[in-house]
Amino acid sequence: MSDFNDFNNPQVANLPKHLRQFIVEQHYEKYTPIDQAVWRYVMRQNYSYLKHVAFYPYIKGLQRAGLSIEHIPDLQTMNDNLGKIGWGAVTVDGFIPPAAFMEYQAYRVLVIAADIRQINHIEYTPAPDIIHESAGHAPIIADTDYNNYLSYFGSIGTKAMFSAKDFELYEAIRNLSILKEAVDTPEDHIARAEKHLQQISENMGEPSEMALLSRLHWWTVEYGLIGTLENPKIYGAGLLSSIGESSTCMQDDVKKLWYNIDTINYSYDITKPQPQLFVTKTFQNLIDVLETFANTMAFRKGGVESIVKAIACKNPATAVYSSGLQVTGVFTDMGVDENDQLSFIKTTGPSALAIDNNQLENHGKFYHKDGFSSPVGKLKGHQNALEDLNLSQLEELGIVENKNTSFTFESGIHVQGLVKSILQHKGKTILISFEDCTVKESNGNILFQPDWGMYDMAIGQTIISVFNGAADKGAYEEITHISDKQTHKVVYDDTTNALHNIYKTVRLIRERATGYEQLPILFEALKSEHRHDWLSAMEILEILYHKQQYPDLEKEIRIYLELKAENEPEQSKLIHDGLHVIKNPVTQLINEEEK
């Protein structure tokens, strides 16, 4: 991707190749006048309400992130502003894999879904959209304690082990959100996808590290409260970007509990309002809880339990030997000795060896295409670990290049063959390669035989760490970049184009404070040809009310909207909230805050 646009932002420029593959162009021109009106409506509602309950000064936060109430943000402006506080932003296509999402956070880059919710999902959308990501996450980024938490969470989350079920769940959620946001999806398709998601959700088994971590993410980054149990403030992006839930969450029937490590026991359902929320006294407490959980994770614990997690994952993971050697692949088997210690580990399919997250030369996934297996542990009758022996000490054991040798591990695994090379790194022996080699367990079970080719034996007394994904992601992970060059031109029918023109004209009249004589004609067109629409009528009413134009028309539109609210229950709250903000103008409130 030589034409990669980094927006002249150091954080974005620093993204590795395997993360760049998810980035899509924003294509600002594809946002319709209705999209812009949806943004403005939600942002005005947010501000009108959130000024009382948000943790931070909302408008100042928006401005520092390069956002405004009036227009959908463009990525360049956001990056210019976020760059000043050491962050960046990119647009992606809806849901991306959780591990990638976490890694962007670790690189201090906000991931923003390029699309915006449809008007019929204005209060809440099941799919990530630009309102949730930018209006929810971005304004609080300027808080140093919070953004440190976010990037630290990303670095921990990147290492979290998945279960195979997590991957199924991710695919099911992504599929459902795409169907729900698509125009004219048949109801039975949505029902089928919901049922499929429910079946997977109900059969998840023991939660994986990533599942538990995603709970901590949900109850903080998305739905977190800060302060006291009696009078908490909102900082979670899910609440800040949901005009429905940001108000209902403060009611007494939503329990408020202190945020601590026990919070991992509370699962969540993304399709329903939350029955309880968690309050932290400080952002530092979030880091402390995360640290407590991180100490239980495979990347810090290693050993048998961590390899078990890797096998359950059924996707590439990395095991780190105490010598520093890293083995990446899909783990399928392991051996355990009589003391419950690892005796060998095995991967199947493309595998790779690395040190310090850099792939070893000639040890990539094409060379080890059929998998990799190697003993773990100490040699029988030897005090010192094999990795700690220098070349002359190895020679005393008979391990010398171009000579035959044989030795047995404490676990009973016996190795016999011709030593071809000994690889050392920072004073540690990390890999010994053999020709004509046989590796057997004490019961005679063959782990390797001569006609399988060269035997590369990893060296290390223990497995000290196991983490999700590859050690050298750039070398191991295939870049499956989908071209973002295809046309984004959506063809709208004549009626929709006419409605877009009404929205566009109303915006121009409001911004230029001229052309009020067109408003009666525009409202007539709405009444006769676009009876389903309520937002454009609301915007016309706003202008008439504040500019004191056409009082009879103002009264007629108000009655029109109130009747609509009565007859169309699904629009009722939206219309009443819109009428409230017209009477309590946001601009006035913003000016007060800025003082």
Side-chain angles (χ1 to χ4, degrees), residues 317-338:
T318 298
V320 186
Y321 276 82
S322 45
S323 64
L325 186 74
Q326 297 163 311
V327 179
T328 294
V330 177
F331 285 83
T332 51
D333 198 5
M334 64 177 187
V336 179
D337 66 19
E338 59 211 21

Side-chain angles (χ1 to χ4, degrees), residues 276-313:
Q276 78 281 309
L277 294 172
F278 295 87
V279 184
T280 185
K281 282 181 182 164
T282 62
F283 288 138
Q284 181 57 44
N285 177 51
L286 304 185
I287 293 177
D288 296 343
V289 170
L290 179 59
E291 189 63 16
T292 302
F293 181 69
N295 286 333
T296 70
M297 291 170 65
F299 84 97
R300 287 197 180 161
K301 294 200 81 163
V304 174
E305 180 191 340
S306 301
I307 296 291
V308 169
K309 289 180 182 178
I311 292 170
C313 175

Side-chain angles (χ1 to χ4, degrees), residues 220-288:
T220 60
V221 175
E222 296 297 352
Y223 277 80
L225 301 175
I226 187 167
T228 63
L229 292 183
E230 299 70 38
N231 185 27
K233 299 289 187 201
I234 297 173
Y235 71 88
L239 291 173
L240 292 174
S241 61
S242 164
I243 52 183
E245 213 166 347
S246 59
S247 56
T248 57
C249 79
M250 287 304 180
Q251 292 166 5
D252 290 343
D253 60 341
V254 178
K255 278 189 301 202
K256 313 297 186 295
L257 306 169
W258 285 119
Y259 179 76
N260 55 39
I261 192 63
D262 296 336
T263 305
I264 60 166
N265 299 320
Y266 290 80
S267 58
Y268 59 89
D269 181 342
I270 67 165
T271 63
K272 297 190 178 88
Q274 310 311 314
Q276 78 281 309
L277 294 172
F278 295 87
V279 184
T280 185
K281 282 181 182 164
T282 62
F283 288 138
Q284 181 57 44
N285 177 51
L286 304 185
I287 293 177
D288 296 343

Side-chain angles (χ1 to χ4, degrees), residues 352-496:
L353 306 181
I355 194 92
D356 296 335
N357 299 327
N358 289 309
Q359 188 171 291
L360 291 178
E361 202 177 338
N362 302 325
H363 287 286
K365 62 180 182 179
F366 298 111
Y367 178 72
H368 295 289
K369 65 182 191 307
D370 300 319
F372 182 86
S373 85
S374 196
V376 181
K378 286 166 76 173
L379 294 188
K380 205 171 192 173
H382 289 274
Q383 199 52 45
N384 294 335
L386 199 49
E387 69 234 54
D388 294 330
L389 305 180
N390 60 31
L391 290 175
S392 58
Q393 289 169 312
L394 287 171
E395 194 173 340
E396 285 171 24
L397 289 176
I399 301 173
V400 186
E401 285 186 4
N402 298 314
K403 290 206 172 162
N404 281 305
T405 189
S406 75
F407 48 81
T408 306
F409 284 86
E410 284 181 343
S411 63
I413 290 176
H414 182 73
V415 179
Q416 182 173 346
L418 176 72
V419 178
K420 284 308 290 178
S421 65
I422 299 169
L423 187 61
Q424 296 194 306
H425 179 79
K426 291 183 180 170
K428 296 266 188 191
T429 300
I430 61 170
L431 191 73
I432 301 177
S433 299
F434 299 85
E435 271 181 1
D436 197 21
C437 188
T438 304
V439 183
K440 278 184 189 174
E441 288 185 282
S442 53
N443 61 6
N445 180 34
I446 291 192
L447 298 175
F448 197 90
Q449 57 192 41
D451 58 350
W452 293 356
M454 179 80 78
Y455 180 63
D456 297 296
M457 187 176 83
I459 306 297
Q461 185 177 333
T462 55
I463 296 296
I464 56 168
S465 176
V466 178
F467 57 85
N468 171 60
D472 185 339
K473 289 184 167 65
Y476 186 87
E477 292 184 10
E478 204 63 58
I479 301 298
T480 50
H481 181 67
I482 296 99
S483 169
D484 51 15
K485 295 292 177 281
Q486 66 265 44
T487 172
H488 279 262
K489 195 153 179 61
V490 181
V491 180
Y492 295 103
D493 61 27
D494 292 346
T495 310
T496 309

Side-chain angles (χ1 to χ4, degrees), residues 96-357:
I96 62 170
F101 181 84
M102 292 288 180
E103 207 175 346
Y104 276 106
Q105 261 180 227
Y107 277 93
R108 300 176 95 87
V109 173
L110 272 185
V111 178
I112 295 173
D115 292 332
I116 186 164
R117 64 194 64 180
Q118 294 173 43
I119 192 165
N120 56 338
H121 291 152
I122 199 165
E123 282 198 275
Y124 173 80
T125 170
D129 81 330
I130 195 161
I131 294 179
H132 170 83
E133 309 291 351
S134 50
H137 289 291
I140 193 173
I141 284 287
D143 185 294
T144 309
D145 286 347
Y146 181 74
N147 73 44
N148 283 340
Y149 170 65
L150 212 53
S151 62
Y152 187 51
F153 200 110
S155 63
I156 301 289
T158 304
K159 293 183 162 66
M161 295 301 298
F162 287 78
S163 70
K165 290 278 187 193
D166 292 328
F167 288 96
E168 281 181 49
L169 186 69
Y170 160 71
E171 287 300 340
I173 290 171
R174 180 179 167 85
N175 180 44
L176 178 60
S177 77
I178 289 168
L179 289 177
K180 279 191 167 179
E181 276 300 297
V183 185
D184 302 329
T185 303
E187 280 301 317
D188 63 321
H189 287 205
I190 291 176
R192 253 205 317 274
E194 282 177 335
K195 192 172 179 198
H196 179 59
L197 174 57
Q198 190 184 349
Q199 283 169 343
I200 293 172
S201 301
E202 287 169 0
N203 294 287
M204 289 296 288
E206 273 295 298
S208 66
E209 287 180 358
M210 188 46 123
L212 294 173
L213 208 51
S214 70
R215 291 177 186 179
L216 296 187
H217 198 267
W218 183 264
W219 298 124
T220 60
V221 175
E222 296 297 352
Y223 277 80
L225 301 175
I226 187 167
T228 63
L229 292 183
E230 299 70 38
N231 185 27
K233 299 289 187 201
I234 297 173
Y235 71 88
L239 291 173
L240 292 174
S241 61
S242 164
I243 52 183
E245 213 166 347
S246 59
S247 56
T248 57
C249 79
M250 287 304 180
Q251 292 166 5
D252 290 343
D253 60 341
V254 178
K255 278 189 301 202
K256 313 297 186 295
L257 306 169
W258 285 119
Y259 179 76
N260 55 39
I261 192 63
D262 296 336
T263 305
I264 60 166
N265 299 320
Y266 290 80
S267 58
Y268 59 89
D269 181 342
I270 67 165
T271 63
K272 297 190 178 88
Q274 310 311 314
Q276 78 281 309
L277 294 172
F278 295 87
V279 184
T280 185
K281 282 181 182 164
T282 62
F283 288 138
Q284 181 57 44
N285 177 51
L286 304 185
I287 293 177
D288 296 343
V289 170
L290 179 59
E291 189 63 16
T292 302
F293 181 69
N295 286 333
T296 70
M297 291 170 65
F299 84 97
R300 287 197 180 161
K301 294 200 81 163
V304 174
E305 180 191 340
S306 301
I307 296 291
V308 169
K309 289 180 182 178
I311 292 170
C313 175
K314 296 183 183 171
N315 276 270
T318 298
V320 186
Y321 276 82
S322 45
S323 64
L325 186 74
Q326 297 163 311
V327 179
T328 294
V330 177
F331 285 83
T332 51
D333 198 5
M334 64 177 187
V336 179
D337 66 19
E338 59 211 21
N339 301 317
D340 293 331
Q341 298 299 309
L342 280 170
S343 59
F344 77 89
I345 57 171
K346 180 178 189 304
T347 66
T348 301
S351 303
L353 306 181
I355 194 92
D356 296 335
N357 299 327

